Structure formats: structure tokens, C-alpha cells
Amino acid sequence: MINIERYLNSVEKPSRYVGGEFGSVIKDKENINIRVAFCFPDTYEIGMSHLGLRCIYNVLNSIPDVWCERSFMPWVDMEAVHKENKIPLYALESKDALSDFDMLGFTLQYEMSYTNVLAMLDLSDIPFLSSERSDNHPIICAGGPCAVNPEPLAEIIDFFMVGEGEEVWPEIIDLYREFKKRENYVKDEFLLALTKIKGVYVPKFYEVDYNEDGTIKERRALKGAPEIVEKRIIEDFDALPHPENIIVPYTEIVHDRVTAEIFRGCIRGCRFCQAGFIYRPVREKSPENIVELAVKSLKATGYDEVSLCSLSTSDYTRLTELTDNLMKYTNERKINFCLPSLRVDNFDLGLAKKVQEVRKTSLTFAPEAGTQRMRDVINKNVTEEDVLKTSELIFKNGWNSVKFYFMIGLPYETDEDVLGIKDLAFKVQDTYFSIDKPQRPKGTRITVSTSSFVPKPFTPFEWAAQDKMETLRHKQDLLKSEMKSRLINYNWHDADLSVLEGVFARGDRRLGKVLIDAYKKGCRLDGWQEHFKYDKWMEAFSDNGVDYSFYNHRERSYEEILPWDFIDVGVTKKFLIEENEKAKKAATTPNCRQKCSGCGITRLAKCKECLNELKN
């Protein structure tokens, strides 16, 4: 057990590192057989807001002989404390070094957290490469949305979990328990046995050959490992265990509240959205189950805010029933109720007013593109009329703050499409001024934010070339020069970070050496702009003879073998190609409830949204 308290006077936010929070799980080590550390490769405030951490922590700690603890990426001041005093990175519950654990499980939520994975291994004195770790080192595993293209980390991570972890983790634990009790435990034998579990990918049992032009020539599975790795899907979502006694941090975190997941998946099919494809099919929790879980969590924690969680909350089929029942509890107790992920085309004013009775906040919508042509290209299925009609409702009913999210750098985009963002923002402003002055809310702010599009695996745009940095900056400059109004506030994200994200989103295992070299040059906490070292990254690419533009600035052919082609998330390549061809023509596809588009997900799972496909 590491005594960390005496070092905390010298760091910002020491509460990140002390543990002992209300709701954290403490077990007797004498009765524990398997120890797992859930490693979140970002700061405590971000990791503790993550619903996936809460779910897996609950699942693993419900197994009697397993103790799951937490560890986070320390901030730069605390990282220096670790290095200067030779203190290994530890888990918050026991304060034991991560090197003492059986398994370290990293969640990969964002490609720009990969150097943080290396930093956490380095602080634990664990070799970066799987091939350099012995049987006595912890097994290093990973899951999360980035695991659908695990190849950039293939030489670092021992095994990946593809899909939903709540069901696969207990199977992995059962297998490990069996191997651990053997007199002569051999890690590679355990890893080979893992390949038989659906949803598990073990990189060392695969080989990749490349063509002279750098594209993949062939991929071979070794020792009986499966050629295709299918993602894990939990079909009975109501039966899914959900944490009730969640951990209450000592310090403020990003989402400091109870979060109630209402469904997974999405019916919409926006062509840029990876989550909308990799989390298919849609599976809903019943309102009764959601209300019960939310109320239990509120009582157990004392939180004064609850939020519904999904990719598109307004598409929940029994939303009115759910909110009415939950607000019977929250409104009486002055508990704030949040409804994120609302769509501008089915905005329910009555519902919005009801849920903001306790505390009125700004409303946020994501039209994503400024012109109708581009919204059709990306299959957003939102019209300008939807945006303006909803804006009028908002302003007439007293909201004085509204936020709109857009993207630039989308495939098949022109400068005219980019300036359409400005045009739409000014039309929203005109809508505000068209309301009689006595009815207008005072102090109104219209916030417009743009991010740079990053093509992702398992979307119709996985073959697209990403805009170069100078092109993205040109588009940002267009908007900066035109978006001038006292009512409109324009924000944008730096393009260099998005370009590098694009490299690792669609990268292959040859990027591992670049990643390690960049870390050694000082790169970590890359997702934080003040710590992002673009020049060091460019040095790492150059020193390792890797042309980063190969991974993001070229359009791929449909015939090219992609690094993630061996992963099956359920949505077929044929469907994605059809969607990309429709995007070129700015042709839309109806959502799953209007008409089945035959994406292929029913090969892996069934859901009510897919009944049409089953019939077809």
C-alpha cells in the first residue's frame, strides 16, 4: 500500500488521488482471487463521469472473488511527483501499485488518449510492448468504441474486447480463474484460449503483410484464432445490471449527477456518426426500470441532478411516460432533470418546459451542416424549417441561450456549404428579431460551434479523404470573418488535433512505433490543447519513416483491405458502400422506424426496429 498523502500538498486538486469516496468498493484482499484495475486514460474528472466505468465497476465487483479498482491518468504535476519520488501508479481503492494486479483494463474512448495509456504503463514500470512483458506482468486489455479498430495498439495491448463489456467480462474472468489455478500458468496459453470467446481479439495470433504502396496485402489468423471477430451485443437490455450505489467524488467532475441510460443504439443513420453504427441495434429499457434505477441512485448518493443518457433521447418511444413518472419524484425534491441529445426536428416544447421547472439551462441542438445539400449528404434528415421553427419556439418561451453544433470538412463539402453555417446562424438571429420586442428574452446568446470532421471506421465515410489542415483552417477563417454579430458567439476546435485523430482512427499496427516514440518525446494528455505537441508528433512520424498523410488524406477504394475489416460490428460493408454512394448524390435514407434499410445487424442480434429486415 502506497502512502500518497504526504505528497499531495504540492499538486492541483489532490482529491483526484486520494480515493475513499462514498460508494467505492473495499474488499478483503485475503478473500480475493483476481484483481482488476479499470484504467481510464484521462483525468479523474472525465473518467468518473463515464457511465461505462460505473457499469463495469459494478459488474466485476459483483463477482465475490474479484476486486475491481480504479486508476486514472494523473495531471502533469502529479505525474512529476510519481517520477521524482519513484512512486508507482496505484489504484485508488487499495493504494496498491498497478503492477500488483492480474489485469489492467483500459477503456479507449478517444484516439488522442493513446499516449496516456503508455504514460500509465510507464508509471507502473510495465513494458509497452506485449512481446516484452513476462507471465508475471499484469495482462493488459482494452475495450470501448476505439476498439473497433484496435490495430494502432496491436503490439501494446494483450487482448481487446469488441462490443459491450458487461456480458463478456464475466466470461473472461471465469476463464482466467481456471488458468490461474494451474501449477504452471502460461500467459500465451490463456490468451489463445481467449480467442474462443466471442468478441475477444488477441493481436499476437494474427499476421499482416503489406503491398509496396503501403496498403494491406493479406491478413492471416494463427493457431486457430477466428478469421472474423464478432462484436458482443446484449440483447435483453432490461436484464442488464445497472449500478445503483455509484461512487460520489469529493471534487466536482464533468458530469456531476446521476446518469440513467435509457437505450443503446440509434435509429437515425447519420453517415458521419460511428456510434450510430457500432452500437446497433436499438435496445430500450422500460420506463419502470429506468425510474426505479434513477430513484435508487438519487437516494443512495444525494445527487440533486439526474440526466437521461442515449444517442438520441427524443427517439425513446415512451419518453413522455418516462419523464412524467420520473418528474413526480424529482420536482417534489427540487432535483434538476436533464434531457440531452434532443433533435431539432422533433423538439417537444411542453417536455422541455416541464424538465426545466427546477433549473432553466441553455438548449443545445446539432444541425451538423449549414446547407440542405450537406445535411442530405450526411443523412441528418433535418431541414432549415426545423431549425428556425424550433428557434422561434425557444425564444418565444423565454430561453435566451441556444447552442448549435456543426462540422466542417465533411465529404463532398464546398465553401458555399461552409458559409451556409453562417447563413443559418443569421437566420436564427433574424427569427429572434422577428418576435415582438416585449416577447423577446433579454440577454440572448446564440452560440455556434464547429468541429473538424474525422472519418471513422464502420461509417459510410470510412473510405473518404480527410481535409488537410490548411483546408480546415481556410474553412474556419471563412466563418471567423463572416460570423460577426453581437448576438452570435462563434467557437471552433483547432484542426491539428483533428488531423492526428484521423490518423489513428483509421491506422494500422505500423503506427505503434510512432506512438511510442511520440510518448518518449514528451507527448501525453494530447486531448488537452495546452499539452498537445504537434511538432513532436511530426518528428515521431519523420523519425520512423511513416507518412501520416497516408492514413487520412487519401481516398480509399472499395477493394482495399482496411485494417479493421476483420471486425464484424453487424453492419455490412455492402450497406456502408450503398450509403456512401447515396451521399455522393445527396440522397437520404429514412430512419429505421420509417423503413428498414437492410443494414445487416440482424445477423448478430434482433430488435424490434429490425423486424422489417427479418421479414425481408
Side-chain angles (χ1 to χ4, degrees), residues 1-56:
M1 181 176 182
I2 297 165
N3 181 10
I4 197 66
E5 282 76 9
R6 63 194 180 103
Y7 299 100
L8 296 182
N9 285 338
S10 62
V11 302
E12 178 187 2
K13 297 183 181 179
S15 53
R16 291 166 164 166
Y17 312 110
V18 296
E21 309 98 319
F22 180 79
S24 58
V25 175
I26 304 297
K27 293 190 175 184
D28 182 356
K29 281 191 281 189
E30 296 299 318
N31 298 320
I32 296 302
N33 181 29
I34 299 170
R35 301 187 69 185
V36 179
F38 189 109
C39 298
F40 197 96
D42 212 320
T43 62
Y44 178 92
E45 291 91 331
I46 294 176
M48 284 300 295
S49 302
H50 181 53
L51 183 60
L53 183 153
R54 296 175 180 179
C55 292
I56 300 302

Side-chain angles (χ1 to χ4, degrees), residues 463-517:
W463 297 276
Q466 184 181 12
D467 272 0
K468 294 182 179 179
M469 192 151 38
E470 53 266 31
T471 305
L472 292 170
R473 285 179 175 160
H474 160 73
K475 293 175 178 180
Q476 288 173 345
D477 289 342
L478 274 179
L479 290 173
K480 281 188 270 185
S481 64
E482 297 283 340
M483 197 96 70
K484 293 180 178 177
S485 166
R486 63 181 180 83
L487 256 65
I488 299 173
N489 181 41
Y490 174 48
N491 302 318
W492 63 93
H493 299 286
D494 286 340
D496 50 6
L497 196 62
S498 298
V499 168
L500 194 60
E501 179 187 345
V503 172
F504 282 93
R506 294 187 293 172
D508 55 41
R509 53 178 62 189
R510 291 173 294 186
L511 289 177
K513 60 184 179 182
V514 178
L515 179 66
I516 292 172
D517 194 29

Side-chain angles (χ1 to χ4, degrees), residues 397-613:
N397 285 274
W399 275 274
N400 65 357
S401 178
V402 60
K403 300 176 183 178
F404 294 102
Y405 288 136
F406 296 89
M407 284 185 288
I408 57 172
L410 288 161
Y412 322 121
E413 179 182 71
T414 66
D415 282 358
E416 183 182 348
D417 294 313
V418 175
L419 288 172
I421 296 172
K422 177 266 300 182
D423 294 338
L424 187 55
F426 276 89
K427 287 177 182 177
V428 171
Q429 178 180 261
D430 292 342
T431 298
Y432 169 77
F433 283 119
S434 71
I435 300 169
D436 291 340
K437 196 168 185 178
Q439 286 186 275
R440 288 183 218 155
K442 295 179 181 178
T444 292
R445 296 297 294 166
I446 301 165
T447 301
V448 174
S449 297
T450 60
S451 60
S452 299
F453 169 69
V454 177
K456 297 278 183 166
F458 299 106
T459 70
F461 295 149
E462 67 178 12
W463 297 276
Q466 184 181 12
D467 272 0
K468 294 182 179 179
M469 192 151 38
E470 53 266 31
T471 305
L472 292 170
R473 285 179 175 160
H474 160 73
K475 293 175 178 180
Q476 288 173 345
D477 289 342
L478 274 179
L479 290 173
K480 281 188 270 185
S481 64
E482 297 283 340
M483 197 96 70
K484 293 180 178 177
S485 166
R486 63 181 180 83
L487 256 65
I488 299 173
N489 181 41
Y490 174 48
N491 302 318
W492 63 93
H493 299 286
D494 286 340
D496 50 6
L497 196 62
S498 298
V499 168
L500 194 60
E501 179 187 345
V503 172
F504 282 93
R506 294 187 293 172
D508 55 41
R509 53 178 62 189
R510 291 173 294 186
L511 289 177
K513 60 184 179 182
V514 178
L515 179 66
I516 292 172
D517 194 29
Y519 170 74
K520 289 178 178 178
K521 292 178 186 294
C523 297
R524 74 260 287 128
L525 293 167
D526 295 297
W528 298 80
Q529 192 62 47
E530 65 267 38
H531 294 293
F532 180 54
K533 299 178 177 66
Y534 178 77
D535 291 344
K536 295 297 182 184
W537 273 105
M538 293 302 103
E539 278 183 29
F541 282 110
S542 177
D543 290 352
N544 288 278
V546 175
D547 178 9
Y548 76 90
S549 65
F550 172 82
Y551 294 100
N552 57 357
H553 295 328
R554 66 181 181 91
E555 186 172 358
R556 291 131 172 92
S557 72
Y558 292 142
E559 290 72 37
E560 181 177 334
I561 298 174
L562 303 175
W564 54 89
D565 274 348
F566 68 99
I567 301 283
D568 184 1
V569 300
V571 177
T572 64
K573 181 172 279 195
K574 175 178 176 290
F575 172 74
L576 296 177
I577 290 172
E578 289 170 353
E579 285 295 291
N580 190 35
E581 290 301 312
K582 290 173 77 171
K584 294 176 182 177
K585 301 170 186 174
T588 60
T589 298
N591 72 58
C592 299
R593 288 178 186 151
Q594 292 172 325
K595 183 182 178 183
C596 175
S597 54
C599 72
I601 189 63
T602 51
R603 294 177 302 107
L604 302 188
K606 301 176 180 64
C607 81
K608 65 179 182 179
E609 314 299 346
C610 300
L611 294 178
N612 289 329
E613 185 179 347

Side-chain angles (χ1 to χ4, degrees), residues 15-16 19-24 44-45 47-49 54 70 246-257 301 303:
S15 53
R16 291 166 164 166
E21 309 98 319
F22 180 79
S24 58
Y44 178 92
E45 291 91 331
M48 284 300 295
S49 302
R54 296 175 180 179
R70 298 159 296 138
I246 59 178
I247 301 169
V248 182
Y250 292 127
T251 186
E252 186 177 355
I253 59 176
V254 176
H255 300 304
D256 215 3
R257 60 199 182 202
T301 61
Y303 271 121

